[in-house]
Amino acid sequence: MPIQPNPVPDPEPVIIDQQQREIKPRRMWVDSLLRIIKSKTSFVGLCIILILIITAILAPVIAPYSPTDQSIIDRYQSPSGTHWLGTDELGRDIFSRIIYGTRISIQIGLITVGISMVIGVLLGGIAGYFGKWADQIIMRLIDILMAFPSILLAIALVAVLGPSLQNAMIAVGIVGIPQFARIVRSAVLSVKETEYIEAARAIGAKHKRIFLQHVLPNSLAPIIVQATLGIGTAILDAAGLSFLGLGAQPPTPEWGAMLSDGRSALQTAPWVVAFPGIAIFLVVLGFNLFGDGLRDALDPRLKE
Amino acid sequence: MLKYIIRRLLMLVPVLIGVSILTFSLIHLIPGDPARSMLGEKATEAQLELLRADLGLNDPYIVQYGRFLGDILQGDLGQSIQSKENIAYEIMHKLPATIELTIFAMIVAIIIGIVAGVIAAVKQYSWFDNISMTGALFGVSLPIFWLGLMMIWIFSVKFNVLPPSGRITAGTGLQTITNFYLLDSILTLDWQAFKDVFLHLLMPGVALGTIPMAIIARMTRSSMLEVMRQDYIRTADAKGLKKHLIVFQHALKNAFLPVLTVIGLQFGLLLGGAVLTETIFSWPGVGRYVYLAVLSRDYPIVQSTILIIAIIFVLINLVTDILYKYFDPRIRYD
């Protein structure tokens, strides 16, 4: 007896199966993720970043007090049950300010690295892809930016633009452009000569399409690594600017600015300085650990 | 080699011109009226006009830039808006303090960084390796301004063993020759002053040196590990050479090149880090000078100081490249 054909043939599973076998890139990302989780240090980094994000989202729930509410009679209270990390010179709860500060840190990290990355990828991409005079001009500009110690250039730019958190982010963002431009340029240079790019060119693909569809995705790994490590550096540099009074202005609960506020009372109330610094350290450490792990995971050639 | 040095020097010319254009432009990037920004809201129109004429802000940009460049080439960096001091003189006077601090920081970083890196590599996966590399990871993530303040709290406030600020205790009576106090105290055989200056250097030096120390330690370790796997090390081991000879004579020599690059790069970056460190420890160097100028909107000082630091930074990078080439003749730049 002939086998009854299925009345409603369902070709879906077969297609999905085939697609899964064809889409290799997905496998690479899954592999990388597994490698990151397996590595102890980068897992710690990932956890710190996740805690940071959750804290930022749940800040109003976690923080026992408002970050800006002043209470002069409670000024410079040492850490206790009511104020876990003590209070500052205006009687504000330091724990609550640090909790709300996570939002600012994330904002600083993403916006600054966003500025560096968008401009850096564009410049590096153009330099690497088109070469010749475009490369010459762009890379000489990058050389000039790199002729300054980064934090100093950032200070100079803020000095000109005026002290504010927004300008500090712009300054630190500009200072970070060269790293991205150089990484993208060298990645593009190595991808450009491969056969699949030649093939794309042969079938008449336009520059924009080749760059966005083929070159960029294949240069993505080092960009992601740099972005992760860059967030740590950006938070550190922006905190430095705020510490100097050139970034976030009062009463913003930015960690660098909080540290700066506590300087004058270092002798009597060291906790005002100590805890925001620890917060900066932990977050930067988190991004550094995760970035290192990402590099090992995405670029196995660099692995020991 | 000489040809290479000359070529590198020539390559510097466009970079330095670019640097001068960028620092020149700073004053013109100020939103609104630069003169108003420098003198404040209370300044009268006459005062503003005087300052504009003083700084030549009414001339076309190209004329202004030409004058800016001409002045610099003659060693004239202009004068401070607030105090009317000669900026070139001030910088020359403050630069030794900054250079002394950065060199001290770098020496601390190099000694501890390389020793830790070598031991960590030789005893890979030992407790020392784990602890020192964790320490190095922490080191690169530390905000140095926080570290500096914590050190002041521990060593000056709590235990009162180190001075919290300045370069020297007032009244020490050190006879200054070079303005590098440590050197001056040696030259004049003034050991009392030497100890005093050294104690003043300790905290800012270590705070400033922490990041390069961590980076040098990591670089030394990974570079050493790479070299220790090479065949000639195995040969040296097989012929019964003593371990310390293998490590120092064979391995470290060859592992040193990447470390040297990192040292050069970090040395330059310390000039930037000095702004934060000098501010915290009231260190009378150019870092604090530029910071105070930023606060008082004394833009000529900001421009000149940043230009000078950028030139030093570029020169340090050049020296690093030349040393690299010197130590590794395989490198060819054509």
Side-chain angles (χ1 to χ4, degrees):
Chain A
M1 194 176 159
I3 301 163
Q4 282 285 324
N6 196 338
V8 187
D10 186 5
E12 286 302 309
V14 182
I15 285 176
I16 285 176
D17 201 3
Q18 257 178 359
Q19 268 183 348
Q20 268 178 348
R21 236 175 270 148
E22 277 165 14
I23 300 175
K24 283 267 165 64
R26 175 141 305 167
R27 188 72 196 138
M28 174 190 135
W29 295 106
V30 174
D31 275 353
S32 306
L33 198 70
L34 285 177
R35 252 179 266 156
I36 288 167
I37 294 170
K38 258 189 239 158
S39 145
K40 246 185 281 170
T41 49
S42 51
F43 183 66
V44 172
L46 185 63
C47 288
I48 294 177
I49 295 172
L50 288 177
I51 292 171
L52 174 77
I53 295 170
I54 294 168
T55 311
I57 295 171
L58 298 179
V61 183
I62 300 172
Y65 301 91
S66 145
T68 46
D69 267 2
Q70 304 178 7
S71 165
I72 294 301
I73 38 167
D74 290 328
R75 70 201 298 253
Y76 292 136
Q77 298 234 338
S78 56
S80 65
T82 36
H83 295 287
W84 291 357
L85 303 182
T87 61
D88 66 5
E89 78 279 15
L90 296 172
R92 295 173 296 197
D93 182 56
I94 292 175
F95 178 67
S96 306
R97 284 176 70 73
I98 288 180
I99 295 296
Y100 274 93
T102 54
R103 295 183 161 190
I104 296 164
S105 286
I106 290 179
Q107 189 193 344
I108 291 171
L110 293 182
I111 293 178
T112 13
V113 170
I115 294 172
S116 314
M117 191 160 74
V118 169
I119 304 178
V121 167
L122 209 64
L123 289 179
I126 293 172
Y129 187 77
F130 292 106
K132 298 194 187 110
W133 59 268
D135 187 28
Q136 282 296 324
I137 293 177
I138 290 173
M139 293 325 284
R140 291 301 80 77
L141 283 176
I142 297 294
D143 281 349
I144 292 166
L145 276 185
M146 291 187 74
F148 297 88
S150 52
I151 184 88
L152 199 71
L153 185 59
I155 289 172
L157 290 172
V158 177
V160 166
L161 299 172
S164 74
L165 184 58
Q166 188 195 326
N167 289 343
M169 289 193 286
I170 293 174
V172 176
I174 292 176
V175 165
I177 292 173
Q179 268 90 5
F180 281 97
R182 296 182 75 157
I183 286 171
V184 174
R185 176 178 176 268
S186 68
V188 168
L189 280 178
S190 66
V191 172
K192 196 171 78 170
E193 302 305 329
T194 50
E195 280 167 3
Y196 63 86
I197 300 295
E198 205 181 316
R201 212 171 277 149
I203 61 169
K206 297 245 162 53
H207 285 315
K208 187 178 151 198
R209 183 188 161 85
I210 294 177
F211 186 68
L212 291 180
Q213 298 263 331
H214 302 284
V215 176
L216 203 54
N218 283 293
S219 324
L220 215 52
I223 298 176
I224 292 174
V225 172
Q226 176 61 31
T228 313
L229 292 169
I231 290 178
T233 317
I235 292 176
L236 209 53
D237 283 354
L241 288 178
S242 294
F243 174 76
L244 292 174
L246 303 173
Q249 301 296 315
T252 317
E254 199 274 338
W255 296 336
M258 288 171 67
L259 236 153
S260 174
D261 288 344
R263 259 183 85 185
S264 51
L266 187 64
Q267 299 203 0
T268 48
W271 56 85
V272 184
V273 167
F275 295 118
I278 294 171
I280 300 173
F281 164 67
L282 283 177
V283 169
V284 175
L285 180 70
F287 281 102
N288 281 344
L289 288 174
F290 187 62
D292 277 355
L294 263 182
R295 182 172 46 205
D296 293 346
L298 290 178
D299 195 350
R301 278 168 305 173
L302 290 170
K303 237 182 142 174
E304 275 292 315
Chain B
M1 189 70 193
L2 189 69
K3 224 170 104 188
Y4 170 72
I5 294 175
I6 292 171
R7 259 223 355 249
R8 281 303 317 260
L9 279 172
L10 285 178
M11 277 164 69
L12 272 191
V13 175
V15 172
L16 288 178
I17 291 177
V19 166
S20 72
I21 293 177
L22 187 63
T23 37
F24 164 75
S25 314
L26 280 177
I27 209 162
H28 298 286
L29 288 172
I30 301 171
D33 179 6
R36 170 74 67 193
S37 164
M38 281 180 257
L39 292 180
E41 291 305 319
K42 285 181 203 144
T44 62
E45 194 49 48
Q47 285 172 313
L48 292 177
E49 199 43 55
L50 199 67
L51 182 67
R52 282 191 207 112
D54 235 20
L55 297 175
L57 292 177
N58 296 326
D59 297 333
Y61 287 161
I62 187 81
V63 174
Q64 288 188 45
Y65 175 68
R67 194 169 42 224
F68 177 78
L69 204 59
D71 285 349
I72 290 168
L73 292 175
Q74 291 172 37
D76 177 8
L77 299 178
Q79 58 177 9
S80 154
I81 292 173
Q82 313 282 339
S83 65
K84 306 289 176 216
E85 296 156 341
N86 182 313
I87 298 174
Y89 174 81
E90 288 294 316
I91 290 180
M92 284 313 290
H93 214 71
K94 291 178 164 63
L95 208 50
T98 302
I99 293 175
E100 185 170 55
L101 176 62
T102 43
I103 289 179
F104 185 83
M106 211 57 216
I107 290 173
V108 172
I110 290 172
I111 293 175
I112 301 180
I114 289 186
V115 169
V118 168
I119 299 178
V122 173
K123 298 193 183 303
Q124 197 185 3
Y125 303 130
S126 65
W127 63 267
F128 184 89
D129 184 22
N130 287 329
I131 289 178
S132 59
M133 286 308 116
T134 311
L137 246 171
F138 282 15
V140 288
S141 311
L142 274 178
I144 54 171
F145 44 98
W146 177 76
L147 182 67
L149 289 174
M150 286 295 106
M151 284 164 87
I152 292 178
W153 180 60
I154 294 171
F155 297 108
S156 301
V157 178
K158 277 268 161 196
F159 296 109
N160 196 19
V161 285
L162 290 174
S165 63
R167 277 180 89 185
I168 192 165
T169 309
T172 310
L174 174 68
Q175 197 189 334
T176 53
I177 304 165
T178 58
N179 255 326
F180 293 93
Y181 286 180
L182 217 48
L183 192 64
D184 286 343
S185 61
I186 295 173
L187 289 176
T188 55
L189 302 174
D190 187 346
W191 303 117
Q192 195 68 35
F194 181 84
K195 187 184 163 204
D196 186 67
V197 172
F198 183 78
L199 290 180
H200 275 86
L201 263 170
L202 216 47
M203 276 201 293
V206 172
L208 187 59
T210 303
I211 290 178
M213 186 194 301
I215 294 175
I216 291 170
R218 292 177 76 175
M219 196 47 153
T220 308
R221 178 182 181 271
S222 68
S223 182
M224 277 294 280
L225 283 177
E226 176 114 25
V227 170
M228 297 285 275
R229 272 202 299 261
Q230 305 285 323
D231 286 341
Y232 65 88
I233 298 291
R234 200 184 314 152
T235 309
D237 202 18
K239 73 179 184 187
L241 215 59
K242 292 222 168 59
K243 184 93 178 175
H244 68 268
L245 275 180
I246 299 176
V247 170
F248 291 106
Q249 292 275 331
H250 295 246
L252 186 57
K253 238 185 199 170
N254 287 291
F256 188 63
L257 265 182
V259 180
L260 177 76
T261 318
V262 170
I263 289 175
L265 201 66
Q266 289 299 318
F267 196 25
L269 288 175
L270 283 190
L271 292 169
V275 179
L276 284 162
T277 318
E278 289 183 2
T279 308
I280 294 162
F281 292 97
S282 305
W283 191 263
V286 285
R288 188 159 171 270
Y289 186 52
V290 74
Y291 167 64
L292 295 175
V294 167
L295 287 190
S296 61
R297 297 179 167 264
D298 206 329
Y299 291 108
I301 296 182
V302 178
Q303 274 182 315
S304 305
T305 318
I306 283 175
L307 181 73
I308 298 292
I309 293 180
I311 292 173
I312 298 175
F313 186 59
V314 169
L315 289 179
I316 291 175
N317 289 344
L318 173 78
V319 171
T320 311
D321 277 359
I322 292 173
L323 283 178
Y324 197 99
K325 160 104 173 158
Y326 178 77
F327 283 117
D328 192 352
R330 285 171 304 177
I331 310 281
R332 293 269 173 272
Y333 300 93
D334 287 318

